[in-house]
Amino acid sequence: MLDLDLLRSFVSVVEAGGFTRAGERVHRTQSTVSQQIKRLEEDVGQVLLHRDGKNVRPTEAGERLLSYARRLLSLAEEARDVLRQPDGEGAIRLGIPEDFAAYRLTKLLGAFSRSHPGLRLDVRADQSKHLARDLERGELDLALYKREAAAKDAIAVWPERVHWVTSKSHPVDISVSSVPLIGFPLGCIYRAGAIHALESAGRAWHTAYTSSSLSGIQAAVAAGMGLSILSEMSIQSDHHVLTAKEGFEPINRTEVALMASPDASPATLRLADRLAEFCDAVQAKAA
């Protein structure tokens, strides 16, 4: 077991860039903080910090530990907050795709939070592959994410239509020998679907722009840097939707799935009901 006090000092040293300033943060002397880091290094069997005079920076092992340390400290803080409010409803860790976060879903979540003042809502917008992984690991209580069409193992699923798009003002010449592709990093189902569609049609492609940010992809499309595929809710007024007549049919092999952890709380299931109603409304509007 990792000692939270040692982890707290380690994070403070990295963020402060030195032992003295870290000691001020955690209200300990420089020598005490130094001893704590030594104990932590002995516990994990790795050197965690490069010491260069008064300047300190994490080693490769230290970088790996840092993200875990922050998550463990955050979970400890969350547990303490929940237990300090015994009459509260606890906490819900929710994961949603970025395009849903940028859509009307934030209003729904705000209303749900206001109607449950004893509930702590922790929402994270991320790529679907990360949300699915973290739900499986038990790091999320509820997740709404994109996936390839699969078995009905979710609370609810909705078929999704995604379209090829280019710039309305600066459209890409679709007759080019190699299609310039804009998309999320490796592992994104949209990216995989775009590549599969192009290669199935015998068309060459190359990466023109990669971003983990939806707004970055939308901007790159609008600027005419290449083609991308986007969900209907992510298509903007400065985008042009390519059609089957132009050689770019919609890609219909994806769906939105709502999944909950096996031990989901009643409050989590109430939120799941609200999310299902929201997605039903979006589906009906698109039909």
Side-chain angles (χ1 to χ4, degrees):
M1 296 293 290
L2 294 172
D3 189 310
L4 292 179
D5 283 337
L6 302 186
L7 293 177
R8 187 173 290 107
S9 292
F10 169 65
V11 172
S12 295
V13 169
V14 173
E15 292 179 346
F19 290 93
T20 301
R21 292 187 294 274
E24 293 170 356
R25 287 189 177 193
V26 296
H27 307 293
R28 288 183 171 86
T29 65
Q30 175 185 345
S31 61
T32 299
V33 173
S34 181
Q35 291 171 5
Q36 287 184 313
I37 299 303
K38 184 178 180 181
R39 283 177 53 197
L40 182 59
E41 289 178 329
E42 291 173 350
D43 285 348
V44 300
Q46 297 277 355
V47 176
L48 300 173
L49 297 172
H50 290 298
R51 297 161 175 83
D52 182 14
K54 292 184 178 181
N55 296 320
V56 175
R57 57 187 176 84
T59 62
E60 184 178 343
E63 289 281 5
R64 290 200 301 270
L65 177 62
L66 186 60
S67 63
Y68 288 104
R70 285 174 172 150
R71 285 158 58 190
L72 287 168
L73 292 170
S74 176
L75 283 172
E77 183 71 22
E78 177 183 309
R80 183 165 55 247
D81 288 347
V82 170
L83 291 174
R84 282 175 177 170
Q85 301 176 12
D87 296 328
E89 294 182 84
I92 299 176
R93 299 165 298 170
L94 169 67
I96 56 176
E98 190 177 355
D99 53 353
F100 275 72
Y103 200 51
R104 298 191 307 269
L105 196 54
T106 49
K107 294 182 180 179
L108 181 154
L109 296 175
F112 184 84
S113 185
R114 288 191 296 274
S115 66
H116 296 76
L119 175 71
R120 175 172 172 171
L121 191 58
D122 179 1
V123 183
R124 177 159 61 86
D126 205 342
Q127 283 187 254
S128 289
K129 66 172 184 176
H130 297 150
L131 300 177
R133 176 201 64 195
D134 291 347
L135 180 69
E136 185 176 349
R137 289 178 176 177
E139 296 173 7
L140 291 173
D141 303 304
L142 186 64
L144 187 70
Y145 60 85
K146 318 291 186 73
R147 68 181 188 181
E148 292 188 359
K152 303 295 184 181
D153 58 345
I155 294 174
V157 295
W158 299 268
E160 186 182 40
R161 288 177 62 84
V162 295
H163 300 272
W164 286 97
V165 291
T166 184
S167 171
K168 182 174 289 186
S169 302
H170 312 284
V172 172
D173 181 2
I174 58 176
S175 65
V176 293
S177 58
S178 178
V179 175
L181 192 60
I182 297 171
F184 288 99
L186 187 66
C188 170
I189 60 170
Y190 284 5
R191 177 190 178 102
I195 293 172
H196 176 77
L198 290 172
E199 293 184 345
S200 296
R203 302 201 63 172
W205 62 274
H206 65 274
T207 300
Y209 188 93
T210 300
S211 174
S212 58
S213 163
L214 173 63
S215 60
I217 290 174
Q218 290 169 323
V221 170
M225 294 185 65
L227 306 185
S228 186
I229 60 172
L230 292 174
S231 65
E232 290 183 339
M233 70 171 61
S234 302
I235 297 171
Q236 300 183 319
S237 60
D238 49 5
H239 297 161
H240 167 67
V241 176
L242 294 167
T243 65
K245 290 183 179 180
E246 296 168 286
F248 293 89
E249 295 186 4
I251 296 174
N252 302 320
R253 296 187 300 110
T254 63
E255 65 184 16
V256 178
L258 180 61
M259 304 279 286
S261 62
D263 55 350
S265 68
T268 299
L269 296 177
R270 285 198 297 273
L271 177 56
D273 288 340
R274 298 282 184 87
L275 291 172
E277 291 171 3
F278 171 84
C279 291
D280 284 340
V282 171
Q283 185 76 9
K285 184 178 179 180

